[in-house]
Amino acid sequence: MTEKISFVLDASVKGVKDIVSTTTATERLTAALAEQRGEVQSLNGQLKGIKGFEAAELRAEKLSAQLTETKSTMTSLSAAIAESKQKTTQLRGEYNLTQNEIRGLNQEMQQASKEGAQALQVKLKEAQL
């Protein structure tokens, strides 16, 4: 009977050891899962940071393209302004020449009308005589 009791005790002790071993293993797994959960959360945070950085890089590329296009537009507009200034200067010179010519013609008309008036007055006097 002692053997039976010893066997039952051995089986009970072994069962308790198995339960303790299983409990310990479960606790280790729970701790490992908690640690991995923290690592996954950290990795998710890093992933969000990387995605934000990639979005910023894409935005920077778009802005760089816009800057290049704007520089090109500014260069062409600058050339157009220079051409416009040149034409304006040329037209201003032509305008001044035209104004001088008009003044000269006005003076000639005034002299001609004085001379014409004098000639008409001479003819009038001759006609009256």
Side-chain angles (χ1 to χ4, degrees), residues 43-73:
L43 288 174
N44 280 337
Q46 290 175 3
L47 181 61
K48 287 179 184 178
I50 290 171
K51 286 182 179 179
F53 180 74
E54 288 174 350
E57 277 185 330
L58 288 175
R59 181 70 179 141
E61 288 175 9
K62 287 180 183 179
L63 288 174
S64 176
Q66 285 179 342
L67 177 63
T68 302
E69 184 179 330
T70 301
K71 284 181 179 179
S72 174
T73 302

Side-chain angles (χ1 to χ4, degrees), residues 69-85:
E69 184 179 330
T70 301
K71 284 181 179 179
S72 174
T73 302
M74 292 298 293
T75 302
S76 64
L77 288 175
S78 177
I81 288 172
E83 183 180 334
S84 175
K85 283 182 180 180

Side-chain angles (χ1 to χ4, degrees), residues 19-31:
I19 291 173
V20 168
S21 175
T22 303
T23 304
T24 304
T26 304
E27 288 172 352
R28 280 192 229 147
L29 283 173
T30 303

Side-chain angles (χ1 to χ4, degrees), residues 10 15-16 42 103 124:
D10 284 340
V16 170
S42 173
R103 282 188 208 105
L124 182 61

